Amino acid sequence: MKNTTTNWTPTDDAMIENAIRRGATRRELLQMMLAGGVTLAASSAILGRSGAALAATPVKGGALKAAGTSASTADTLDPAKASLSTDYVRICAFYNRLTFLDKSGTAQMELADSFDTKDAKVWTVKLKKDVTFHDGKTLSSADVVYSLNRHLDPSVGSKVAKIAKQIASVKAIDKNTVEITLDQPNADLPTILGMHHFMIVAEGTTDFSKGNGTGAFTVEHFEPGVRSVGLKNKNYFKSSGANVDSFEFFAISDETARVNALLAGDIHLANSINPRSMRLVEAQNGFQLSRTSSGGYTNLNIRLDLSPGDKAGFIEGMKYLVNREQIQKSVLRGMADIGNDQPISPANPYYNANLKAKAFDPDKAKHLFEKAGVLGQSIPIVASEAADDSIEMAVVIQQAGADIGMKFDVQRVPSDGYWDKYWLVAPIHFGNINPRPTPDILFSLLYGTEAPWNESQYKDQKFDKMLHEARGLLDQAKRKEIYDEMQVMVSENAGTIIPAYMANVDALSGKVKGLEPNPLGGMMGYAFAEYVWLEA
Amino acid sequence: MNGQVLSLVTSRLATTLVTLLIVSFAVFFATSMLPGDTAAILLGQAATPEAVAGLRKAMHLNDPAIIRYLRWIGGLFYGDLGTSYANNMPVAQLIGGRFVNSMKLAGVTTLFSVPLALLFGITAAMFRGSLYDRVVTFFTIGLISVPEFMVATSAVLIFSVYLKWLPALAFANEIHSFGELLRVFAMPVITLTFVVAAQMVRMTRAAVIETLNTPYVEMALLKGASRPRLVLRHALPNALGPIVNAMALSLSYLLGGVIIVETIFNYPGIAKLMVDAVATRDLPLVQSCAMIFCLGFLILTTFADIVAILANPRLR
């Protein structure tokens, strides 16, 4: 392929493949490639290859080995306490949720058969029948009631206690029906219950070391901070079941070591590949990358209540000074979509496509800084390894500033303690937000007046009211309209600059098939173990 | 063993105990000064002020530091390492398996590096100034200067990624046969041997050369002793003290300092456990690991000192 095209790399293959999955038409793809200087004949070959990867039939059997980024003695099999990708991978393999978010971010039924509501406040959930836990117990409504109520118990220490707080009551109506009442309407409930923490555990479980769930794998071995092994569940309720016989998961925190382990054939799949290592993986035969536009981002936060963020024009100037294209192309090596300063990513159905990102315009920025009376002053920007790629982004901003006589003092601080001491605290600093499935969660978490992580101290009563109104709406079109306007408000008025939505890049052996992007994160939203297969 | 030797050994052991006590004090207060509140880190996103206050109380974090120190050191005295903050398991249980893994790695490395270092160090001293000596010196200085992450990463790239001879990761708990043991340990041990043996070769060579320059060795030479006899019978016993000391210092590194090797080969040893524990602010675990490293260091240096005392002919 490289003989007939110029500059065409497997990264671009991954991009095309991703576009096909997102539903791009053949015509759009051809335009994309022609723009990239690919001849018509070559482009149909690329399309044929990318399409073939998607249409293969699963092969059964084999032992899958995969590595994540971090593990510690705090690793857990308790879904409520799961906090890192390693925990998510395990709980996705051993348990199930009521719903499962598909690649478009839409909630599909998993343990639930249906979700019904009239007012988005009282929900009736019918459960699938004949689902059994690993220990042989049949799933019933009592298990769901127990699992959901756990998040409301402060002694459990659930990571989603704040989100779960809107659940006013959970009742078992009969053996297979549960009624969930919210304290106020929320049309997103099926999506929310598709998040990792809402996995269903057996009633009364307090010891989670056995991982007794309904999932596609049973726990064979679990050693916190070291590794875990799962065996295929023979009694799995989905007839397809898992494709592989077993899977092993552990963490290799050093990125170079992770890539080397993959290239050496010790593992089949490695997540979170740094853009800098991508060329190394691509240069080897039999390996490929999977790119997921999950919507996580690293953003520059300027507090509106502290100097210099409180000076009229300063934040607007910064929005013009951030060279989004350069950040997307050079810092993130193209593995990102350009951001328009609001938290909802283009992969989300509620993304406002009409809201354009501010163009890079140093002259306009200079003019605005002059108006704010800050030109010539030295302004500190706090960056750290803790917020992915923030140091590189800070340097890009510093360079742009130097060209117009604006001095930025990039303060590089240690990762250790960053989220306690600098994030939300320093007048100008970087944040790093993981993808969330709904606009409501993002806005409530980051931009509402009461938001616990209001990074720039953005406060607007009208915004709060709209947030509340949209939450209970079952009318999708009306809802989209409100969220569109909220995105414009945040983009214009908040002090958070979101230059790009980052893609999560996983690297995998050519033997691994069936891995699809998922909005809940890399490695198929961490649920890869159940779905991928190994080609002999 | 005469009275003088006995008193020297006893005072050396007493010094060790006092050092251990001072270190425990330093470890405890240094870790207490780590930035970030333990309770807040443990609770993560769910950290409300009330929850943090409650947890701090439950974990006795509000007690004065000296009380917490005495409680901890008292526990250590009775062999109770405490309970991990991160997952409520006994610290001893968390450390157990990882400690065994670290000892295995350190043991195999010692088995390879000590004889190698003695061999090269002594022969280089014997043929001082020869081509052989210069080649050995060139390589040992070269290896000392290369950081171990470089050695380890290059080894992985060459032997795992390109040649595919050895696994890139070392899983100590998957060993069922001697062949597997060799395969799994090969690269970590080679890397560590490079790092520690190079130091030992240099020190052994220097110590032997120094004794070779003393009058009594010259006397033996004049009396017609052969070269090997000169080195092995006359010089080496007198150089034993400094050599064992150099070995002890190099080997003490194998317990706590191998974090880079553990990280690159994903080897589940105790150094990585401690780094994880620092990240989660799991203080009981951090403190216990630090004490274990310190104890290992003290045992080795004390042992070396006692060997030096016993090997000293003037005390015999």
Side-chain angles (χ1 to χ4, degrees):
Chain A
M1 184 57 51
K2 278 178 188 141
N3 303 333
T4 49
T5 56
T6 46
N7 264 339
W8 190 264
T9 64
T11 314
D12 303 305
D13 262 358
M15 199 178 76
I16 298 285
E17 218 172 291
N18 195 37
I20 296 175
R21 283 173 182 142
R22 279 215 234 140
T25 66
R26 198 175 171 86
R27 181 186 295 269
E28 282 166 354
L29 289 171
L30 286 176
Q31 275 168 357
M32 236 164 109
M33 282 186 280
L34 287 171
V38 179
T39 61
L40 208 58
S43 47
S44 60
I46 292 168
L47 282 183
R49 193 171 41 165
S50 304
L54 295 170
T57 32
V59 178
K60 297 279 174 188
L64 178 72
K65 276 191 174 191
T69 52
S70 61
S72 78
T73 50
D75 284 356
T76 178
L77 290 181
D78 181 350
K81 286 197 189 124
S83 63
L84 288 166
S85 57
T86 35
D87 286 335
Y88 295 163
V89 167
R90 275 187 285 267
I91 60 174
C92 284
F94 302 139
Y95 303 93
N96 290 112
R97 291 157 267 193
L98 291 174
T99 57
F100 179 75
L101 298 191
D102 67 12
K103 58 189 170 190
S104 69
T106 316
Q108 304 292 341
M109 296 299 132
E110 193 163 57
L111 286 180
D113 228 359
S114 65
F115 265 73
D116 292 304
T117 185
K118 285 191 187 70
D119 53 3
K121 195 171 172 184
V122 180
W123 294 76
T124 309
V125 183
K126 292 257 186 229
L127 300 177
K128 285 212 169 71
K129 284 176 188 143
D130 304 323
V131 177
T132 53
F133 283 93
H134 297 157
D135 66 357
K137 179 180 152 1
T138 310
L139 173 82
S140 78
S141 48
D143 301 312
V144 176
V145 172
Y146 176 76
S147 301
L148 295 184
N149 276 330
R150 282 188 77 225
H151 299 287
L152 303 171
D153 177 357
S155 69
V156 167
S158 167
K159 301 275 180 199
V160 287
K162 280 213 172 78
I163 294 174
K165 232 163 83 183
Q166 58 186 306
I167 299 177
S169 80
V170 190
K171 279 195 305 220
I173 301 293
D174 61 45
K175 204 167 159 297
N176 286 304
T177 315
V178 178
E179 188 184 87
I180 302 172
T181 311
L182 304 176
D183 60 5
Q184 46 172 297
N186 189 339
D188 282 328
L189 187 71
T191 311
I192 291 170
L193 294 181
M195 289 169 72
H196 296 113
H197 301 91
F198 292 103
M199 298 278 173
I200 301 302
V201 301
E203 187 188 8
T205 312
T206 49
D207 171 16
F208 287 89
S209 61
K210 304 277 178 299
N212 178 33
T214 54
F217 292 88
T218 56
V219 182
E220 168 72 8
H221 180 87
F222 169 59
E223 194 178 342
V226 182
R227 67 187 189 123
S228 37
V229 179
L231 293 184
K232 181 175 175 167
N233 176 7
K234 299 256 165 23
N235 303 318
Y236 194 43
F237 74 94
K238 292 186 197 169
S239 58
S240 56
N243 294 313
V244 293
D245 290 335
S246 71
F247 89 99
E248 179 173 347
F249 190 79
F250 46 86
I252 308 175
S253 50
D254 183 67
E255 203 252 355
T256 316
R258 196 158 62 243
V259 171
N260 282 340
L262 176 80
L263 297 181
D266 285 8
I267 53 173
H268 298 109
L269 175 64
N271 96 329
S272 287
I273 297 301
N274 193 311
R276 285 180 287 276
S277 307
M278 288 181 337
R279 298 280 157 190
L280 177 67
V281 176
E282 288 166 353
Q284 305 272 329
N285 272 331
F287 295 95
Q288 55 196 354
L289 298 169
S290 162
R291 175 189 190 268
T292 304
S293 313
S294 55
Y297 56 81
T298 293
N299 56 337
L300 183 68
N301 299 321
I302 306 169
R303 284 187 51 167
L304 291 155
D305 57 340
L306 296 175
S307 174
D310 58 354
K311 297 196 171 68
F314 176 74
I315 290 176
E316 200 189 345
M318 288 300 280
K319 285 177 182 168
Y320 283 109
L321 190 66
V322 174
N323 190 342
R324 292 152 216 268
E325 207 162 310
Q326 194 183 354
I327 287 173
Q328 187 242 8
K329 284 213 171 101
S330 62
V331 176
L332 304 169
R333 304 278 167 113
M335 290 289 118
D337 296 308
I338 287 191
N340 53 7
D341 299 340
Q342 55 74 34
I344 294 158
S345 87
N348 194 294
Y350 290 105
Y351 176 72
N352 182 352
N354 299 322
L355 177 62
K356 293 284 174 260
K358 289 220 169 25
F360 177 57
D361 192 341
D363 291 334
K364 208 170 198 169
K366 186 177 180 181
H367 177 72
L368 285 161
F369 289 144
E370 247 166 7
K371 212 171 81 183
V374 292
L375 202 67
Q377 287 177 19
S378 175
I379 291 176
I381 297 181
V382 178
S384 165
E385 297 273 353
D388 299 337
D389 301 299
S390 66
I391 295 163
E392 291 84 351
M393 288 186 194
V395 171
V396 168
I397 296 167
Q398 191 181 34
Q399 289 291 329
D403 291 344
I404 56 162
M406 186 75 212
K407 268 209 300 237
F408 290 107
D409 172 21
V410 176
Q411 297 181 349
R412 187 178 170 167
V413 300
S415 321
D416 207 34
Y418 182 78
W419 304 109
D420 272 350
K421 280 170 68 184
Y422 299 98
W423 182 58
L424 303 177
V425 178
I428 305 182
H429 65 272
F430 281 92
N432 183 231
I433 301 294
N434 291 330
R436 317 271 157 169
T438 70
D440 182 56
I441 294 178
L442 282 161
F443 285 141
S444 321
L445 192 66
L446 299 161
Y447 293 95
T449 302
E450 300 292 319
W453 293 353
N454 198 327
E455 294 176 305
S456 69
Q457 299 298 314
Y458 172 72
K459 291 185 168 82
D460 185 337
Q461 287 183 347
K462 189 179 160 212
F463 183 87
D464 292 347
K465 247 173 68 194
M466 289 164 78
L467 181 61
H468 187 87
E469 189 193 345
R471 191 176 292 155
L473 278 179
L474 289 167
D475 176 353
Q476 291 306 314
K478 186 88 204 305
R479 212 161 177 225
K480 169 105 176 59
E481 212 172 278
I482 297 175
Y483 282 140
D484 276 357
E485 197 187 332
M486 289 169 79
Q487 289 172 55
V488 175
M489 291 166 82
V490 165
S491 173
E492 290 297 326
N493 306 325
T496 50
I497 300 174
I498 301 170
Y501 308 99
M502 294 166 165
N504 189 321
V505 182
D506 300 330
L508 54 150
S509 146
K511 282 185 186 163
V512 179
K513 303 286 173 195
L515 189 78
E516 287 183 2
N518 187 286
L520 280 182
M523 301 206 277
M524 220 167 165
Y526 306 109
F528 68 96
E530 182 178 341
Y531 300 98
V532 301
W533 65 91
L534 289 173
E535 236 168 38
Chain B
M1 201 187 280
N2 60 31
Q4 203 187 349
V5 173
L6 196 67
S7 79
L8 273 173
V9 170
T10 330
S11 78
R12 185 64 190 80
L13 287 175
T15 318
T16 306
L17 280 179
V18 175
T19 315
L20 201 57
L21 201 68
I22 296 173
V23 168
S24 73
F25 198 76
V27 164
F28 186 85
F29 288 96
T31 49
S32 307
M33 276 190 287
L34 281 172
D37 183 83
T38 311
I41 289 170
L42 286 179
L43 288 168
Q45 279 173 250
T48 56
E50 306 85 64
V52 171
L55 192 62
R56 285 187 65 87
K57 191 151 181 289
M59 285 168 33
H60 302 291
L61 287 176
N62 294 326
D63 294 351
I66 191 75
I67 303 276
R68 282 183 287 136
Y69 172 70
L70 289 176
R71 197 181 288 132
W72 175 63
I73 199 82
L76 283 189
F77 191 73
Y78 290 106
D80 173 18
L81 300 183
T83 308
S84 155
Y85 286 170
N87 62 1
N88 278 327
M89 272 159 76
V91 168
Q93 194 186 331
L94 285 171
I95 289 180
R98 308 280 285 250
F99 181 69
V100 172
N101 285 344
S102 284
M103 289 306 280
K104 272 188 210 157
L105 186 59
V108 179
T109 308
T110 309
L111 225 57
F112 278 92
S113 57
V114 170
L116 272 179
L118 284 176
L119 179 75
F120 284 115
I122 294 171
T123 48
M126 275 168 79
F127 307 108
R128 177 157 54 125
S130 68
L131 179 68
Y132 171 76
D133 179 33
R134 275 179 281 157
V135 169
V136 170
T137 305
F138 177 81
F139 277 105
T140 47
I141 292 187
L143 287 177
I144 290 174
S145 321
V146 178
E148 57 189 303
F149 72 84
M150 180 81 189
V151 177
T153 311
S154 317
V156 171
L157 271 178
I158 295 168
F159 295 109
S160 307
V161 175
Y162 293 112
L163 296 174
K164 310 229 184 274
W165 288 351
L166 297 167
L169 306 174
F171 274 115
N173 32 13
E174 273 184 9
I175 299 171
H176 304 295
S177 70
F178 187 68
E180 267 175 42
L181 179 108
L182 287 185
R183 268 173 61 80
V184 166
F185 274 112
M187 281 203 292
V189 168
I190 289 172
T191 310
L192 286 173
T193 301
F194 273 13
V195 181
V196 295
Q199 305 260 18
M200 290 193 277
V201 170
R202 297 291 301 156
M203 298 297 284
T204 308
R205 180 180 173 278
V208 174
I209 285 176
E210 198 172 313
T211 39
L212 281 176
N213 287 337
T214 52
Y216 65 82
V217 176
E218 206 173 328
M219 185 66 185
L221 182 69
L222 291 173
K223 280 161 81 182
S226 68
R227 201 172 183 122
R229 184 173 167 83
L230 196 70
V231 172
L232 297 177
R233 184 73 190 88
H234 295 272
L236 196 58
N238 291 290
L240 201 60
I243 292 177
V244 177
N245 238 314
M247 305 246 155
L249 282 178
S250 295
L251 295 180
S252 66
Y253 164 85
L254 287 179
L255 208 53
V258 297
I259 175 66
I260 291 169
V261 168
E262 285 187 14
T263 305
I264 290 179
F265 297 106
N266 213 41
Y267 187 86
I270 192 170
K272 212 159 104 200
L273 180 70
M274 178 165 170
V275 172
D276 287 348
V278 172
T280 48
R281 293 290 181 276
D282 195 343
L283 296 189
L285 193 50
V286 177
Q287 289 157 354
S288 299
C289 290
M291 288 308 286
I292 286 175
F293 299 152
C294 172
L295 193 66
F297 178 82
L298 286 174
I299 288 176
L300 280 166
T301 49
T302 308
F303 173 76
D305 282 354
I306 291 175
V307 168
I309 292 169
L310 294 179
N312 189 339
R314 272 166 294 185
L315 298 175
R316 240 179 255 146

